[in-house]
Amino acid sequence: MRDLKGVGRGMTGSVYQTYDRSLGRTVAIKAIKRSILLTVSRSKWVNAASYARAEIENLHRARGPHVLELLHHFVDAEHIFLVLAYAERGDLYTYMQGIGHGIPEAEAAGYVRAAAAALLHCQRRSVVHGDVKLENLLMMTDGSLKLADFGHSTFVDPRTKTVGERGGTWDYRTPEQFTKN
């Protein structure tokens, strides 16, 4: 893999586009910095590496037609790298910003159906995404929509129905997430 082109930045690292010769295709590489500390609650901090491990595990659990495919992952001393399918058309937020006006109702309904199908798919596999927003709905060349960025995802233990602590984007958090200690 060479010629990395930056395509996005997040709280824990960056996303790059490159061509993976071993796979024979263009891929996205999410580089997560191990040293970053994230706040889970007012008094609890965790290393970004723990989020990366949960993201990898939950991407495997939620693998399917509505979730961005994790192709493989690898690590070095400073980063955890996730090699993902590349969304050629970008994210839904950027697409809608580029239009500058509303989209036809039928098109919007298609996106809502696709997002709902992705969330139902995850629920059936006991995965809560935790950060659903337009920026995490990626548009593929074939017209499909894929749910991406499982960095705030958590696994729901089917026996106890308990959910682990995870954050999500502040602007999209539920009131309950702000009142927990």
Side-chain angles (χ1 to χ4, degrees), residues 9-150:
R9 290 192 68 78
M11 185 171 54
T12 60
S14 300
V15 178
Y16 303 93
Q17 172 196 347
T18 192
Y19 185 81
D20 186 325
R21 289 180 301 208
S22 68
L23 295 172
R25 67 192 266 195
T26 300
V27 297
I29 297 180
K30 183 175 183 179
I32 302 166
K33 295 179 185 176
R34 292 174 177 251
S35 61
I36 293 177
L37 291 176
L38 304 169
T39 180
V40 176
S41 66
R42 287 183 216 153
S43 60
K44 185 174 180 185
W45 291 79
V46 297
N47 189 284
S50 69
Y51 271 64
R53 280 190 295 278
E55 181 168 9
I56 291 165
E57 291 169 1
N58 289 327
L59 276 166
H60 281 293
R61 285 182 183 112
R63 178 177 289 151
H66 307 292
V67 173
L68 191 68
E69 183 182 10
L70 173 65
L71 303 167
H72 58 92
H73 67 280
F74 58 97
V75 299
D76 71 11
E78 297 178 17
H79 294 88
I80 298 169
F81 299 94
L82 280 60
V83 181
L84 301 151
Y86 181 67
E88 302 85 356
R89 293 181 54 208
D91 66 79
L92 192 54
Y93 179 83
T94 303
Y95 168 71
M96 297 198 55
Q97 289 293 313
I99 291 175
H101 57 78
I103 60 175
E105 187 176 326
E107 183 180 357
Y111 295 139
V112 170
R113 275 192 301 278
L119 294 173
L120 180 61
H121 175 82
C122 289
Q123 181 202 20
R124 288 180 174 153
R125 284 155 180 77
S126 300
V127 174
V128 175
H129 184 272
D131 198 20
V132 178
K133 57 185 178 180
L134 295 177
E135 294 93 327
N136 290 337
L137 294 168
L138 304 184
M139 304 170 72
M140 308 306 282
T141 303
D142 66 4
S144 65
L145 201 67
K146 305 279 184 173
L147 184 59
D149 193 355
F150 279 65

Side-chain angles (χ1 to χ4, degrees), residues 154-168:
T154 191
F155 177 68
V156 179
D157 186 327
R159 296 165 299 180
T160 63
K161 304 287 188 207
T162 57
V163 178
E165 293 180 318
R166 285 286 185 233

